Amino acid sequence: RIEGAIFDLDGVIVDTAKYHYSAWKKLANMLGFEFTEKDNEKLKGVSRKESLEILLKIGGKENEFSEAQKEELMDIKNSWYLEYINKLTEDEILPGAKELILTLKEQGIKTGLATASKNAMLILERLNIKDLFDAIVDGTQISRAKPDPEIFLKCAQKLKIDPQKCVVFEDAAAGIKAAKLAGMFAVGVGSCDMLGEADIVICSLDQLIKELK
Ligand code: BG6
Ligand code: MG
């Protein structure tokens, strides 16, 4: 029986991918190359550092910067990203997300958040949903990024629930992989072709909540 539900943040609870995309695109343009929406798919669920490495490779600039310069580039991107996040409102919570979490809680299921983002606390505050979660693990608390299962195992541990009794909601292939490696039931939120390894794929949390009713 499922005792815990663990949610990814970006792309599952709130559509921040478009803001990440705008900020990375601006950085690519600053460095003199293009960055498309299709390229952006590769950054979903991936850590900030790894995102930068992928972006630089796309621009053929993977060997041009020192580690210190890369830190600077990440800071610049994040400051642009934060301009959007600071304006985020509750209206941007994806349809069905809040209802689903509240429904699960009513049924006695513990809820967790497991996100690679280091901006998670700010996002949760802006959306006013911090209290919905019994445990939160964000990018500041992990040493290995998804697809490593560390983040989900840590979240299950905080919830005091056996990983096998947890279900994960994820929109990124790396996240689905991490959930499966953690021994959890993985629900892909999005399109089947990108989330092939998931146990089931749903179009949106809204679809699921309607089916539960
Ligand atoms: C993930 C996003 O949730 O967080 C990635 O899907 C992002 O696109 C990663 O790169 C890290 O986010 P942040 O907020 O720490 O830059
Ligand atoms: Mg995501």
Side-chain angles (χ1 to χ4, degrees):
R1 193 185 114 75
I2 291 296
E3 292 179 9
I6 302 178
F7 291 81
D8 173 46
L9 178 64
D10 297 305
V12 172
I13 290 176
V14 59
D15 180 20
T16 43
K18 57 178 187 250
Y19 301 138
H20 277 297
Y21 172 56
S22 298
W24 283 125
K25 189 179 171 69
K26 205 165 161 183
L27 189 78
N29 293 163
M30 185 186 95
L31 298 174
F33 60 92
E34 273 310 314
F35 182 71
T36 67
E37 219 157 328
K38 196 165 163 246
D39 293 329
N40 191 54
E41 281 301 316
K42 301 187 191 115
L43 308 190
K44 286 190 180 169
V46 171
S47 71
R48 196 181 302 174
K49 180 72 199 296
E50 212 178 310
S51 296
L52 177 70
E53 301 288 358
I54 295 170
L55 181 116
L56 291 177
K57 208 171 229 165
I58 288 168
K61 293 188 183 294
E62 64 268 44
N63 298 317
E64 281 187 27
F65 302 100
S66 67
E67 285 307 310
Q69 286 171 321
K70 284 180 187 173
E71 287 296 331
E72 269 177 51
L73 293 176
M74 283 189 281
D75 285 349
I76 294 170
K77 182 266 170 176
N78 201 52
S79 68
W80 288 331
Y81 178 65
L82 287 179
E83 283 176 22
Y84 297 112
I85 296 308
N86 281 321
K87 284 186 247 162
L88 207 64
T89 68
E90 285 182 43
D91 298 341
E92 286 175 81
I93 298 174
L94 285 169
K98 218 170 160 175
E99 293 89 327
L100 179 62
I101 296 169
L102 290 171
T103 305
L104 292 170
K105 283 176 88 74
E106 264 169 34
Q107 293 174 4
I109 292 173
K110 292 249 183 287
T111 56
L113 186 86
T115 169
S117 175
K118 293 181 171 151
N119 296 306
M121 287 306 173
L122 177 63
I123 295 172
L124 293 176
E125 266 163 38
R126 298 290 321 162
L127 300 178
N128 208 6
I129 53 169
K130 212 163 158 180
D131 297 343
L132 290 183
F133 301 100
D134 299 304
I136 295 173
V137 183
D138 71 12
T140 66
Q141 301 168 49
I142 47 162
S143 49
R144 293 181 303 274
K146 300 171 189 176
D148 191 284
E150 181 188 10
I151 192 161
F152 291 124
L153 292 174
K154 204 163 181 172
C155 196
Q157 200 177 21
K158 277 198 185 185
L159 289 171
K160 298 193 179 70
I161 295 174
D162 184 6
Q164 267 97 40
K165 292 177 181 158
C166 291
V167 56
V168 169
F169 293 89
E170 255 291 350
D171 71 313
I176 293 291
K177 186 156 209 166
K180 289 317 296 170
L181 286 171
M184 300 179 178
F185 188 86
V187 180
V189 185
S191 70
C192 296
D193 46 332
M194 274 158 46
L195 302 167
E197 285 184 58
D199 293 300
I200 54 164
V201 179
I202 56 173
C203 298
S204 64
L205 297 183
D206 203 32
Q207 179 210 334
L208 184 64
I209 192 87
K210 279 178 185 141
E211 275 170 27
L212 287 177
K213 271 179 191 163

PDB file of all heavy atoms in Angstrom, residues 62-92:
ATOM      1  N   GLU A  62      32.357  24.365 -24.647  1.00  0.00           N
ATOM      2  CA  GLU A  62      32.552  23.587 -23.413  1.00  0.00           C
ATOM      3  C   GLU A  62      33.946  23.706 -22.808  1.00  0.00           C
ATOM      4  O   GLU A  62      34.133  23.438 -21.629  1.00  0.00           O
ATOM      5  CB  GLU A  62      32.162  22.116 -23.617  1.00  0.00           C
ATOM      6  CG  GLU A  62      32.994  21.342 -24.619  1.00  0.00           C
ATOM      7  CD  GLU A  62      32.387  21.377 -26.021  1.00  0.00           C
ATOM      8  OE1 GLU A  62      31.950  22.459 -26.465  1.00  0.00           O
ATOM      9  OE2 GLU A  62      32.372  20.316 -26.670  1.00  0.00           O
ATOM     10  N   ASN A  63      34.931  24.128 -23.607  1.00  0.00           N
ATOM     11  CA  ASN A  63      36.287  24.219 -23.053  1.00  0.00           C
ATOM     12  C   ASN A  63      36.776  25.652 -22.859  1.00  0.00           C
ATOM     13  O   ASN A  63      37.954  25.894 -22.663  1.00  0.00           O
ATOM     14  CB  ASN A  63      37.266  23.467 -23.963  1.00  0.00           C
ATOM     15  CG  ASN A  63      36.914  21.997 -24.052  1.00  0.00           C
ATOM     16  OD1 ASN A  63      36.597  21.373 -23.035  1.00  0.00           O
ATOM     17  ND2 ASN A  63      36.929  21.445 -25.251  1.00  0.00           N
ATOM     18  N   GLU A  64      35.846  26.610 -22.943  1.00  0.00           N
ATOM     19  CA  GLU A  64      36.283  28.010 -22.930  1.00  0.00           C
ATOM     20  C   GLU A  64      36.341  28.686 -21.575  1.00  0.00           C
ATOM     21  O   GLU A  64      36.909  29.758 -21.445  1.00  0.00           O
ATOM     22  CB  GLU A  64      35.378  28.829 -23.861  1.00  0.00           C
ATOM     23  CG  GLU A  64      35.784  28.627 -25.311  1.00  0.00           C
ATOM     24  CD  GLU A  64      35.034  29.540 -26.260  1.00  0.00           C
ATOM     25  OE1 GLU A  64      34.613  30.634 -25.831  1.00  0.00           O
ATOM     26  OE2 GLU A  64      34.887  29.143 -27.426  1.00  0.00           O
ATOM     27  N   PHE A  65      35.728  28.057 -20.567  1.00  0.00           N
ATOM     28  CA  PHE A  65      35.621  28.762 -19.284  1.00  0.00           C
ATOM     29  C   PHE A  65      36.227  27.987 -18.113  1.00  0.00           C
ATOM     30  O   PHE A  65      36.144  26.762 -18.069  1.00  0.00           O
ATOM     31  CB  PHE A  65      34.151  29.057 -18.984  1.00  0.00           C
ATOM     32  CG  PHE A  65      33.483  29.878 -20.051  1.00  0.00           C
ATOM     33  CD1 PHE A  65      32.686  29.287 -21.005  1.00  0.00           C
ATOM     34  CD2 PHE A  65      33.694  31.252 -20.116  1.00  0.00           C
ATOM     35  CE1 PHE A  65      32.071  30.045 -22.009  1.00  0.00           C
ATOM     36  CE2 PHE A  65      33.090  32.016 -21.116  1.00  0.00           C
ATOM     37  CZ  PHE A  65      32.286  31.415 -22.059  1.00  0.00           C
ATOM     38  N   SER A  66      36.808  28.736 -17.200  1.00  0.00           N
ATOM     39  CA  SER A  66      37.347  28.124 -15.977  1.00  0.00           C
ATOM     40  C   SER A  66      36.171  27.838 -15.038  1.00  0.00           C
ATOM     41  O   SER A  66      35.057  28.330 -15.246  1.00  0.00           O
ATOM     42  CB  SER A  66      38.311  29.097 -15.299  1.00  0.00           C
ATOM     43  OG  SER A  66      37.581  30.223 -14.827  1.00  0.00           O
ATOM     44  N   GLU A  67      36.429  27.087 -13.987  1.00  0.00           N
ATOM     45  CA  GLU A  67      35.367  26.782 -13.014  1.00  0.00           C
ATOM     46  C   GLU A  67      34.823  28.070 -12.386  1.00  0.00           C
ATOM     47  O   GLU A  67      33.624  28.213 -12.182  1.00  0.00           O
ATOM     48  CB  GLU A  67      35.892  25.823 -11.929  1.00  0.00           C
ATOM     49  CG  GLU A  67      36.034  24.383 -12.395  1.00  0.00           C
ATOM     50  CD  GLU A  67      34.782  23.784 -13.036  1.00  0.00           C
ATOM     51  OE1 GLU A  67      33.697  23.880 -12.433  1.00  0.00           O
ATOM     52  OE2 GLU A  67      34.883  23.247 -14.166  1.00  0.00           O
ATOM     53  N   ALA A  68      35.729  29.007 -12.107  1.00  0.00           N
ATOM     54  CA  ALA A  68      35.294  30.281 -11.507  1.00  0.00           C
ATOM     55  C   ALA A  68      34.394  31.054 -12.473  1.00  0.00           C
ATOM     56  O   ALA A  68      33.390  31.644 -12.067  1.00  0.00           O
ATOM     57  CB  ALA A  68      36.513  31.113 -11.125  1.00  0.00           C
ATOM     58  N   GLN A  69      34.770  31.043 -13.739  1.00  0.00           N
ATOM     59  CA  GLN A  69      33.936  31.740 -14.740  1.00  0.00           C
ATOM     60  C   GLN A  69      32.577  31.057 -14.893  1.00  0.00           C
ATOM     61  O   GLN A  69      31.554  31.726 -15.061  1.00  0.00           O
ATOM     62  CB  GLN A  69      34.654  31.769 -16.098  1.00  0.00           C
ATOM     63  CG  GLN A  69      35.816  32.750 -16.136  1.00  0.00           C
ATOM     64  CD  GLN A  69      36.642  32.615 -17.398  1.00  0.00           C
ATOM     65  OE1 GLN A  69      36.886  31.502 -17.901  1.00  0.00           O
ATOM     66  NE2 GLN A  69      37.090  33.741 -17.940  1.00  0.00           N
ATOM     67  N   LYS A  70      32.574  29.729 -14.789  1.00  0.00           N
ATOM     68  CA  LYS A  70      31.307  28.994 -14.871  1.00  0.00           C
ATOM     69  C   LYS A  70      30.397  29.373 -13.704  1.00  0.00           C
ATOM     70  O   LYS A  70      29.190  29.526 -13.871  1.00  0.00           O
ATOM     71  CB  LYS A  70      31.557  27.483 -14.898  1.00  0.00           C
ATOM     72  CG  LYS A  70      32.067  26.985 -16.244  1.00  0.00           C
ATOM     73  CD  LYS A  70      32.283  25.478 -16.205  1.00  0.00           C
ATOM     74  CE  LYS A  70      32.949  25.000 -17.466  1.00  0.00           C
ATOM     75  NZ  LYS A  70      33.318  23.575 -17.385  1.00  0.00           N
ATOM     76  N   GLU A  71      30.995  29.534 -12.527  1.00  0.00           N
ATOM     77  CA  GLU A  71      30.215  29.973 -11.364  1.00  0.00           C
ATOM     78  C   GLU A  71      29.561  31.331 -11.647  1.00  0.00           C
ATOM     79  O   GLU A  71      28.405  31.561 -11.337  1.00  0.00           O
ATOM     80  CB  GLU A  71      31.113  30.105 -10.112  1.00  0.00           C
ATOM     81  CG  GLU A  71      31.559  28.778  -9.506  1.00  0.00           C
ATOM     82  CD  GLU A  71      30.412  27.922  -8.969  1.00  0.00           C
ATOM     83  OE1 GLU A  71      29.377  28.489  -8.551  1.00  0.00           O
ATOM     84  OE2 GLU A  71      30.540  26.690  -9.000  1.00  0.00           O
ATOM     85  N   GLU A  72      30.344  32.206 -12.254  1.00  0.00           N
ATOM     86  CA  GLU A  72      29.815  33.541 -12.595  1.00  0.00           C
ATOM     87  C   GLU A  72      28.661  33.453 -13.585  1.00  0.00           C
ATOM     88  O   GLU A  72      27.650  34.138 -13.436  1.00  0.00           O
ATOM     89  CB  GLU A  72      30.923  34.403 -13.226  1.00  0.00           C
ATOM     90  CG  GLU A  72      31.703  35.233 -12.223  1.00  0.00           C
ATOM     91  CD  GLU A  72      32.834  35.995 -12.900  1.00  0.00           C
ATOM     92  OE1 GLU A  72      32.570  36.684 -13.916  1.00  0.00           O
ATOM     93  OE2 GLU A  72      33.978  35.869 -12.432  1.00  0.00           O
ATOM     94  N   LEU A  73      28.845  32.595 -14.590  1.00  0.00           N
ATOM     95  CA  LEU A  73      27.781  32.433 -15.598  1.00  0.00           C
ATOM     96  C   LEU A  73      26.505  31.905 -14.945  1.00  0.00           C
ATOM     97  O   LEU A  73      25.399  32.362 -15.250  1.00  0.00           O
ATOM     98  CB  LEU A  73      28.236  31.482 -16.713  1.00  0.00           C
ATOM     99  CG  LEU A  73      29.372  31.984 -17.611  1.00  0.00           C
ATOM    100  CD1 LEU A  73      29.785  30.897 -18.607  1.00  0.00           C
ATOM    101  CD2 LEU A  73      28.959  33.253 -18.366  1.00  0.00           C
ATOM    102  N   MET A  74      26.657  30.968 -14.009  1.00  0.00           N
ATOM    103  CA  MET A  74      25.485  30.420 -13.316  1.00  0.00           C
ATOM    104  C   MET A  74      24.813  31.491 -12.456  1.00  0.00           C
ATOM    105  O   MET A  74      23.586  31.549 -12.375  1.00  0.00           O
ATOM    106  CB  MET A  74      25.882  29.226 -12.443  1.00  0.00           C
ATOM    107  CG  MET A  74      26.116  27.964 -13.250  1.00  0.00           C
ATOM    108  SD  MET A  74      26.310  26.525 -12.193  1.00  0.00           S
ATOM    109  CE  MET A  74      27.989  26.712 -11.645  1.00  0.00           C
ATOM    110  N   ASP A  75      25.630  32.338 -11.840  1.00  0.00           N
ATOM    111  CA  ASP A  75      25.066  33.429 -11.021  1.00  0.00           C
ATOM    112  C   ASP A  75      24.275  34.412 -11.876  1.00  0.00           C
ATOM    113  O   ASP A  75      23.210  34.891 -11.481  1.00  0.00           O
ATOM    114  CB  ASP A  75      26.180  34.187 -10.284  1.00  0.00           C
ATOM    115  CG  ASP A  75      26.715  33.390  -9.105  1.00  0.00           C
ATOM    116  OD1 ASP A  75      26.075  32.373  -8.758  1.00  0.00           O
ATOM    117  OD2 ASP A  75      27.759  33.778  -8.549  1.00  0.00           O
ATOM    118  N   ILE A  76      24.823  34.725 -13.056  1.00  0.00           N
ATOM    119  CA  ILE A  76      24.128  35.641 -13.965  1.00  0.00           C
ATOM    120  C   ILE A  76      22.790  35.038 -14.389  1.00  0.00           C
ATOM    121  O   ILE A  76      21.747  35.680 -14.305  1.00  0.00           O
ATOM    122  CB  ILE A  76      25.001  35.940 -15.217  1.00  0.00           C
ATOM    123  CG1 ILE A  76      26.255  36.720 -14.817  1.00  0.00           C
ATOM    124  CG2 ILE A  76      24.198  36.699 -16.272  1.00  0.00           C
ATOM    125  CD1 ILE A  76      27.280  36.856 -15.931  1.00  0.00           C
ATOM    126  N   LYS A  77      22.845  33.765 -14.816  1.00  0.00           N
ATOM    127  CA  LYS A  77      21.592  33.093 -15.225  1.00  0.00           C
ATOM    128  C   LYS A  77      20.599  33.093 -14.072  1.00  0.00           C
ATOM    129  O   LYS A  77      19.410  33.391 -14.259  1.00  0.00           O
ATOM    130  CB  LYS A  77      21.891  31.655 -15.685  1.00  0.00           C
ATOM    131  CG  LYS A  77      20.684  30.890 -16.161  1.00  0.00           C
ATOM    132  CD  LYS A  77      20.052  30.056 -15.056  1.00  0.00           C
ATOM    133  CE  LYS A  77      18.710  29.462 -15.449  1.00  0.00           C
ATOM    134  NZ  LYS A  77      18.168  28.592 -14.394  1.00  0.00           N
ATOM    135  N   ASN A  78      21.078  32.765 -12.868  1.00  0.00           N
ATOM    136  CA  ASN A  78      20.143  32.679 -11.743  1.00  0.00           C
ATOM    137  C   ASN A  78      19.543  34.039 -11.391  1.00  0.00           C
ATOM    138  O   ASN A  78      18.376  34.124 -11.019  1.00  0.00           O
ATOM    139  CB  ASN A  78      20.815  32.057 -10.524  1.00  0.00           C
ATOM    140  CG  ASN A  78      19.789  31.495  -9.560  1.00  0.00           C
ATOM    141  OD1 ASN A  78      18.912  30.722  -9.947  1.00  0.00           O
ATOM    142  ND2 ASN A  78      19.853  31.917  -8.306  1.00  0.00           N
ATOM    143  N   SER A  79      20.316  35.098 -11.553  1.00  0.00           N
ATOM    144  CA  SER A  79      19.754  36.414 -11.231  1.00  0.00           C
ATOM    145  C   SER A  79      18.637  36.773 -12.225  1.00  0.00           C
ATOM    146  O   SER A  79      17.628  37.343 -11.836  1.00  0.00           O
ATOM    147  CB  SER A  79      20.839  37.490 -11.183  1.00  0.00           C
ATOM    148  OG  SER A  79      21.350  37.707 -12.470  1.00  0.00           O
ATOM    149  N   TRP A  80      18.805  36.379 -13.473  1.00  0.00           N
ATOM    150  CA  TRP A  80      17.719  36.597 -14.450  1.00  0.00           C
ATOM    151  C   TRP A  80      16.517  35.728 -14.118  1.00  0.00           C
ATOM    152  O   TRP A  80      15.371  36.175 -14.198  1.00  0.00           O
ATOM    153  CB  TRP A  80      18.204  36.287 -15.874  1.00  0.00           C
ATOM    154  CG  TRP A  80      19.150  37.309 -16.421  1.00  0.00           C
ATOM    155  CD1 TRP A  80      19.187  38.644 -16.098  1.00  0.00           C
ATOM    156  CD2 TRP A  80      20.197  37.097 -17.376  1.00  0.00           C
ATOM    157  NE1 TRP A  80      20.183  39.267 -16.786  1.00  0.00           N
ATOM    158  CE2 TRP A  80      20.821  38.349 -17.591  1.00  0.00           C
ATOM    159  CE3 TRP A  80      20.678  35.990 -18.076  1.00  0.00           C
ATOM    160  CZ2 TRP A  80      21.889  38.507 -18.475  1.00  0.00           C
ATOM    161  CZ3 TRP A  80      21.726  36.146 -18.954  1.00  0.00           C
ATOM    162  CH2 TRP A  80      22.332  37.394 -19.150  1.00  0.00           C
ATOM    163  N   TYR A  81      16.785  34.467 -13.743  1.00  0.00           N
ATOM    164  CA  TYR A  81      15.704  33.545 -13.389  1.00  0.00           C
ATOM    165  C   TYR A  81      14.920  34.091 -12.185  1.00  0.00           C
ATOM    166  O   TYR A  81      13.693  34.070 -12.164  1.00  0.00           O
ATOM    167  CB  TYR A  81      16.312  32.168 -13.089  1.00  0.00           C
ATOM    168  CG  TYR A  81      15.320  31.118 -12.658  1.00  0.00           C
ATOM    169  CD1 TYR A  81      14.324  30.669 -13.532  1.00  0.00           C
ATOM    170  CD2 TYR A  81      15.381  30.552 -11.384  1.00  0.00           C
ATOM    171  CE1 TYR A  81      13.416  29.692 -13.141  1.00  0.00           C
ATOM    172  CE2 TYR A  81      14.481  29.581 -10.983  1.00  0.00           C
ATOM    173  CZ  TYR A  81      13.500  29.151 -11.868  1.00  0.00           C
ATOM    174  OH  TYR A  81      12.598  28.194 -11.466  1.00  0.00           O
ATOM    175  N   LEU A  82      15.653  34.617 -11.205  1.00  0.00           N
ATOM    176  CA  LEU A  82      14.998  35.131  -9.993  1.00  0.00           C
ATOM    177  C   LEU A  82      14.106  36.344 -10.265  1.00  0.00           C
ATOM    178  O   LEU A  82      13.151  36.583  -9.537  1.00  0.00           O
ATOM    179  CB  LEU A  82      16.050  35.474  -8.924  1.00  0.00           C
ATOM    180  CG  LEU A  82      16.693  34.261  -8.255  1.00  0.00           C
ATOM    181  CD1 LEU A  82      17.740  34.707  -7.240  1.00  0.00           C
ATOM    182  CD2 LEU A  82      15.662  33.365  -7.572  1.00  0.00           C
ATOM    183  N   GLU A  83      14.418  37.085 -11.320  1.00  0.00           N
ATOM    184  CA  GLU A  83      13.540  38.211 -11.688  1.00  0.00           C
ATOM    185  C   GLU A  83      12.134  37.690 -11.986  1.00  0.00           C
ATOM    186  O   GLU A  83      11.141  38.325 -11.644  1.00  0.00           O
ATOM    187  CB  GLU A  83      14.085  38.954 -12.917  1.00  0.00           C
ATOM    188  CG  GLU A  83      15.259  39.859 -12.594  1.00  0.00           C
ATOM    189  CD  GLU A  83      15.839  40.517 -13.843  1.00  0.00           C
ATOM    190  OE1 GLU A  83      15.129  40.629 -14.871  1.00  0.00           O
ATOM    191  OE2 GLU A  83      17.026  40.900 -13.794  1.00  0.00           O
ATOM    192  N   TYR A  84      12.069  36.524 -12.626  1.00  0.00           N
ATOM    193  CA  TYR A  84      10.750  35.918 -12.901  1.00  0.00           C
ATOM    194  C   TYR A  84      10.146  35.339 -11.623  1.00  0.00           C
ATOM    195  O   TYR A  84       8.963  35.510 -11.344  1.00  0.00           O
ATOM    196  CB  TYR A  84      10.868  34.785 -13.925  1.00  0.00           C
ATOM    197  CG  TYR A  84      11.360  35.208 -15.290  1.00  0.00           C
ATOM    198  CD1 TYR A  84      12.609  34.808 -15.754  1.00  0.00           C
ATOM    199  CD2 TYR A  84      10.552  35.979 -16.116  1.00  0.00           C
ATOM    200  CE1 TYR A  84      13.057  35.173 -17.014  1.00  0.00           C
ATOM    201  CE2 TYR A  84      10.988  36.352 -17.389  1.00  0.00           C
ATOM    202  CZ  TYR A  84      12.246  35.947 -17.827  1.00  0.00           C
ATOM    203  OH  TYR A  84      12.684  36.302 -19.070  1.00  0.00           O
ATOM    204  N   ILE A  85      10.974  34.637 -10.859  1.00  0.00           N
ATOM    205  CA  ILE A  85      10.473  33.935  -9.662  1.00  0.00           C
ATOM    206  C   ILE A  85       9.935  34.923  -8.627  1.00  0.00           C
ATOM    207  O   ILE A  85       8.951  34.643  -7.945  1.00  0.00           O
ATOM    208  CB  ILE A  85      11.590  33.036  -9.067  1.00  0.00           C
ATOM    209  CG1 ILE A  85      11.977  31.942 -10.061  1.00  0.00           C
ATOM    210  CG2 ILE A  85      11.174  32.416  -7.729  1.00  0.00           C
ATOM    211  CD1 ILE A  85      10.817  31.121 -10.608  1.00  0.00           C
ATOM    212  N   ASN A  86      10.567  36.064  -8.541  1.00  0.00           N
ATOM    213  CA  ASN A  86      10.091  37.067  -7.583  1.00  0.00           C
ATOM    214  C   ASN A  86       8.704  37.588  -7.931  1.00  0.00           C
ATOM    215  O   ASN A  86       8.022  38.151  -7.080  1.00  0.00           O
ATOM    216  CB  ASN A  86      11.083  38.224  -7.488  1.00  0.00           C
ATOM    217  CG  ASN A  86      12.271  37.848  -6.614  1.00  0.00           C
ATOM    218  OD1 ASN A  86      12.109  37.174  -5.589  1.00  0.00           O
ATOM    219  ND2 ASN A  86      13.465  38.246  -7.014  1.00  0.00           N
ATOM    220  N   LYS A  87       8.296  37.395  -9.184  1.00  0.00           N
ATOM    221  CA  LYS A  87       6.966  37.849  -9.609  1.00  0.00           C
ATOM    222  C   LYS A  87       5.939  36.719  -9.636  1.00  0.00           C
ATOM    223  O   LYS A  87       4.779  36.921  -9.998  1.00  0.00           O
ATOM    224  CB  LYS A  87       7.061  38.477 -11.009  1.00  0.00           C
ATOM    225  CG  LYS A  87       7.665  39.873 -10.990  1.00  0.00           C
ATOM    226  CD  LYS A  87       7.602  40.490 -12.382  1.00  0.00           C
ATOM    227  CE  LYS A  87       8.994  40.663 -12.936  1.00  0.00           C
ATOM    228  NZ  LYS A  87       9.105  40.851 -14.352  1.00  0.00           N
ATOM    229  N   LEU A  88       6.388  35.507  -9.278  1.00  0.00           N
ATOM    230  CA  LEU A  88       5.513  34.328  -9.312  1.00  0.00           C
ATOM    231  C   LEU A  88       4.325  34.505  -8.361  1.00  0.00           C
ATOM    232  O   LEU A  88       4.489  35.048  -7.272  1.00  0.00           O
ATOM    233  CB  LEU A  88       6.356  33.133  -8.848  1.00  0.00           C
ATOM    234  CG  LEU A  88       6.030  31.724  -9.308  1.00  0.00           C
ATOM    235  CD1 LEU A  88       6.195  31.591 -10.808  1.00  0.00           C
ATOM    236  CD2 LEU A  88       6.961  30.741  -8.617  1.00  0.00           C
ATOM    237  N   THR A  89       3.133  34.057  -8.792  1.00  0.00           N
ATOM    238  CA  THR A  89       1.975  34.117  -7.897  1.00  0.00           C
ATOM    239  C   THR A  89       1.300  32.751  -7.809  1.00  0.00           C
ATOM    240  O   THR A  89       1.578  31.863  -8.616  1.00  0.00           O
ATOM    241  CB  THR A  89       0.905  35.119  -8.401  1.00  0.00           C
ATOM    242  OG1 THR A  89       0.339  34.582  -9.603  1.00  0.00           O
ATOM    243  CG2 THR A  89       1.490  36.488  -8.656  1.00  0.00           C
ATOM    244  N   GLU A  90       0.386  32.634  -6.845  1.00  0.00           N
ATOM    245  CA  GLU A  90      -0.356  31.383  -6.625  1.00  0.00           C
ATOM    246  C   GLU A  90      -1.098  30.915  -7.875  1.00  0.00           C
ATOM    247  O   GLU A  90      -1.354  29.727  -8.032  1.00  0.00           O
ATOM    248  CB  GLU A  90      -1.365  31.555  -5.487  1.00  0.00           C
ATOM    249  CG  GLU A  90      -0.720  31.572  -4.120  1.00  0.00           C
ATOM    250  CD  GLU A  90      -1.741  31.701  -2.997  1.00  0.00           C
ATOM    251  OE1 GLU A  90      -2.784  31.025  -3.063  1.00  0.00           O
ATOM    252  OE2 GLU A  90      -1.489  32.477  -2.063  1.00  0.00           O
ATOM    253  N   ASP A  91      -1.455  31.866  -8.728  1.00  0.00           N
ATOM    254  CA  ASP A  91      -2.175  31.509  -9.967  1.00  0.00           C
ATOM    255  C   ASP A  91      -1.361  30.581 -10.862  1.00  0.00           C
ATOM    256  O   ASP A  91      -1.908  29.932 -11.752  1.00  0.00           O
ATOM    257  CB  ASP A  91      -2.481  32.773 -10.809  1.00  0.00           C
ATOM    258  CG  ASP A  91      -3.368  33.735 -10.067  1.00  0.00           C
ATOM    259  OD1 ASP A  91      -4.018  33.274  -9.108  1.00  0.00           O
ATOM    260  OD2 ASP A  91      -3.409  34.916 -10.435  1.00  0.00           O
ATOM    261  N   GLU A  92      -0.061  30.573 -10.646  1.00  0.00           N
ATOM    262  CA  GLU A  92       0.788  29.772 -11.519  1.00  0.00           C
ATOM    263  C   GLU A  92       0.977  28.328 -11.048  1.00  0.00           C
ATOM    264  O   GLU A  92       1.681  27.552 -11.695  1.00  0.00           O
ATOM    265  CB  GLU A  92       2.130  30.474 -11.743  1.00  0.00           C
ATOM    266  CG  GLU A  92       1.961  31.663 -12.684  1.00  0.00           C
ATOM    267  CD  GLU A  92       3.212  32.471 -12.867  1.00  0.00           C
ATOM    268  OE1 GLU A  92       4.070  32.070 -13.664  1.00  0.00           O
ATOM    269  OE2 GLU A  92       3.325  33.532 -12.204  1.00  0.00           O
TER     270      GLU A  92
END
